[in-house]
Amino acid sequence: MLYTPINFKEKLSKFTEHWSPKVVAEMNDYQFKLVKVEGEFVWHDHPDTDEVFIVIEGVLDIEFRDGKVTLESGEMFVIPKGIEHKPVAASECKVMIVEPRGVVNTGDAESSLKAQNDVWI
Amino acid sequence: MLYTPINFKEKLSKFTEHWSPKVVAEMNDYQFKLVKVEGEFVWHDHPDTDEVFIVIEGVLDIEFRDGKVTLESGEMFVIPKGIEHKPVAASECKVMIVEPRGVVNTGDAESSLKAQNDVWI
């Protein structure tokens, strides 16, 4: 049998909206999600889990209350659980997120940017 | 404070050996590892966990008892737990592995390719 790889570019071609992560794979109870981002997200945190951002294409700033990190293609960062952060992208950026199944993009924050969870492409 | 991104190319420049995964990040009790591979690995499985392969550069075949998958740069695959597999790379390939802390590269197999675990770069 020929198994099918999960191709990031092909998956990213399937949607256009921003700040709406799409699940492409599960490993145990963790999910790998692809998301397109542009502009400013909301300040939020995830009280129960770390969160990984891997930049596929573009540039992503992640602001913290005491500083920031800038990620380019081929770079990653682990947001520790409970740490407030705000992703910001000056122009469209394509990102992979890794986190446990069930994590909502806006964490504990109330926001119109809250995306439907567990949407697969 | 300016936080430091984890840059895959910079991390990969720090070692040359094959089949010896290096940890670059931890998220909860999971580790993100970079590894350079070339040639044939051993048949093995991980009875307690799925395992993710993401190809950074090059081409990786993962053989299964009933087939195979070929991964290129920007592609990933999830090896389900308990499924025997054998990674093969015709020429050097750079790969990110995601799996729980404590997973040994050769799984249950006895092999001279068994690498020291939990080595950070």
Side-chain angles (χ1 to χ4, degrees), chain A residues 70-118:
Chain A
T70 298
L71 303 181
E72 303 191 4
S73 174
E75 294 185 330
M76 68 178 281
F77 198 77
V78 185
I79 316 288
K81 68 178 174 181
I83 298 296
E84 279 190 294
H85 57 283
K86 182 175 79 164
V88 178
S91 55
E92 188 178 80
C93 179
K94 296 162 186 169
V95 179
M96 169 161 275
I97 293 172
V98 187
E99 60 196 0
R101 192 187 302 129
V103 172
V104 172
N105 65 333
T106 49
D108 280 356
E110 290 296 325
S111 168
S112 62
L113 291 169
K114 181 172 175 174
Q116 191 181 346
N117 202 23
D118 202 31

Side-chain angles (χ1 to χ4, degrees), chain A residues 1 3-8 26-28 30 49-50 64 66-71 74-78 98, chain B residues 1 3-8 26-28 30 49-50 64 66-71 74-78 98:
Chain A
M1 181 188 277
Y3 291 96
T4 305
I6 297 161
N7 182 291
F8 301 158
E26 268 184 358
M27 170 196 56
N28 302 327
Y30 280 69
T49 182
D50 301 340
F64 303 100
D66 67 350
K68 76 166 184 174
V69 64
T70 298
L71 303 181
E75 294 185 330
M76 68 178 281
F77 198 77
V78 185
V98 187
Chain B
M1 179 188 277
Y3 290 95
T4 307
I6 298 161
N7 183 291
F8 301 157
E26 267 183 1
M27 172 195 56
N28 302 327
Y30 280 70
T49 182
D50 301 341
F64 303 100
D66 67 351
K68 77 167 184 173
V69 64
T70 298
L71 303 180
E75 294 185 330
M76 68 178 282
F77 198 78
V78 185
V98 188

Side-chain angles (χ1 to χ4, degrees), chain B residues 46-59:
Chain B
H46 304 285
D48 299 321
T49 182
D50 301 341
E51 181 177 42
V52 159
F53 287 77
I54 302 172
V55 170
I56 308 285
E57 186 184 317
V59 180

